[in-house]
Amino acid sequence: MSGRSDRIVPLAVKIVVSGGLGVGKTTFIGAISEIEPLDTEAAMTQVSVGVDSLDGVESKTTTTVALDFGRITLDPTIALYLFGTPGQDRFSFLWDDLVEGALGTVVLADTRRIEECFPAVDYFESQGEPFVLAVNRFDGAEQFELEEVREALGLAADVPVLECDARDRSSVRDVLGALMDRVIGVRAAPKRRVAMVR
């Protein structure tokens, strides 16, 4: 058949990166994206004073107001499209649209501001979709055991909790790999239960 292309079109897989304000979502996506990441960073102004808590991240001068976007091709057959959510509660109305059709989520946590992680954890637990929690290690921050972080956030035993450095491409790749393992495990679980019932 003439005119037919043998070019492989990769399967597009949507992944969400979420977490509180200043946790490193924009950095995480920028570290791995093979394209120039799209971000909607805006300068923080006096209007946000008293609305957005900057305790622990006082040097932060910009914030995501809509989304971050990047892409990474795993192999010729699969491309991950990464969508970062805004961290502030006042922008959480955007989350439903950003997570629609997503295969899974990376929730980033900052142990300096662990309470900022609760809205994202609660949201994705309520969605029932697979997620992993990645503790972004900031220079100078107090270090906690991963099981302590799990306990503080009340995460189920089957939710992977791992360390990461959002600035480091290989660390981000490892987190995305853990998410893919989690997605496969969750998607395969109902089939195993059905097989056992039969």
Side-chain angles (χ1 to χ4, degrees), residues 53 60 71 94 98 104 117 159 165-166 180-181:
S53 171
K60 187 168 178 59
R71 183 188 74 209
L94 296 168
L98 289 173
C117 193
V159 175
D165 181 342
M180 290 298 95
D181 289 343

Side-chain angles (χ1 to χ4, degrees), residues 15 28 32 72 74 80 82 106 132 160 162 169-185:
I15 299 296
F28 183 96
I32 196 78
I72 177 71
L74 296 184
L80 296 185
L82 306 173
V106 173
V132 299
L162 51 156
R169 182 179 176 84
S170 64
S171 181
V172 170
R173 185 191 62 229
D174 291 346
V175 170
L176 293 173
L179 177 61
M180 290 298 95
D181 289 343
R182 172 75 173 146
V183 166
I184 291 167

Side-chain angles (χ1 to χ4, degrees), residues 103-126:
L103 198 61
T105 302
V106 173
V107 176
L108 286 173
D110 177 355
T111 56
R112 301 170 303 174
R113 298 160 44 90
I114 199 70
E115 68 283 355
E116 293 291 318
C117 193
F118 280 110
V121 168
D122 290 346
Y123 179 86
F124 291 104
E125 282 182 337
S126 72

Side-chain angles (χ1 to χ4, degrees), residues 39-198:
D39 63 54
T40 56
E41 291 282 299
M44 298 191 75
T45 66
Q46 285 299 111
V47 176
S48 68
V49 174
V51 178
D52 299 328
S53 171
L54 294 179
D55 293 341
V57 291
E58 292 83 2
S59 62
K60 187 168 178 59
T61 59
T62 63
T63 187
T64 299
V65 295
L67 64 97
D68 296 314
F69 175 78
R71 183 188 74 209
I72 177 71
T73 303
L74 296 184
D75 64 40
T77 64
I78 301 176
L80 296 185
Y81 290 87
L82 306 173
F83 289 80
T85 66
Q88 301 97 313
D89 284 344
R90 61 194 169 105
F91 293 130
S92 62
F93 65 91
L94 296 168
W95 289 13
D96 287 339
D97 290 332
L98 289 173
V99 303
E100 186 175 351
L103 198 61
T105 302
V106 173
V107 176
L108 286 173
D110 177 355
T111 56
R112 301 170 303 174
R113 298 160 44 90
I114 199 70
E115 68 283 355
E116 293 291 318
C117 193
F118 280 110
V121 168
D122 290 346
Y123 179 86
F124 291 104
E125 282 182 337
S126 72
Q127 295 296 306
E129 292 300 319
F131 72 94
V132 299
L133 185 93
V135 179
N136 191 9
R137 296 300 191 190
F138 289 89
D139 295 337
E142 187 176 355
Q143 303 293 304
F144 294 91
E145 295 294 328
L146 295 178
E147 285 308 307
E148 290 180 276
V149 176
R150 178 191 301 283
E151 187 175 332
L153 292 172
L155 292 175
D158 63 338
V159 175
V161 179
L162 51 156
E163 291 184 338
C164 82
D165 181 342
R167 303 165 296 184
D168 182 73
R169 182 179 176 84
S170 64
S171 181
V172 170
R173 185 191 62 229
D174 291 346
V175 170
L176 293 173
L179 177 61
M180 290 298 95
D181 289 343
R182 172 75 173 146
V183 166
I184 291 167
V186 168
R187 302 281 185 223
K191 292 176 185 170
R192 285 199 300 269
R193 284 199 292 269
V194 169
M196 288 169 55
V197 169
R198 288 181 185 166

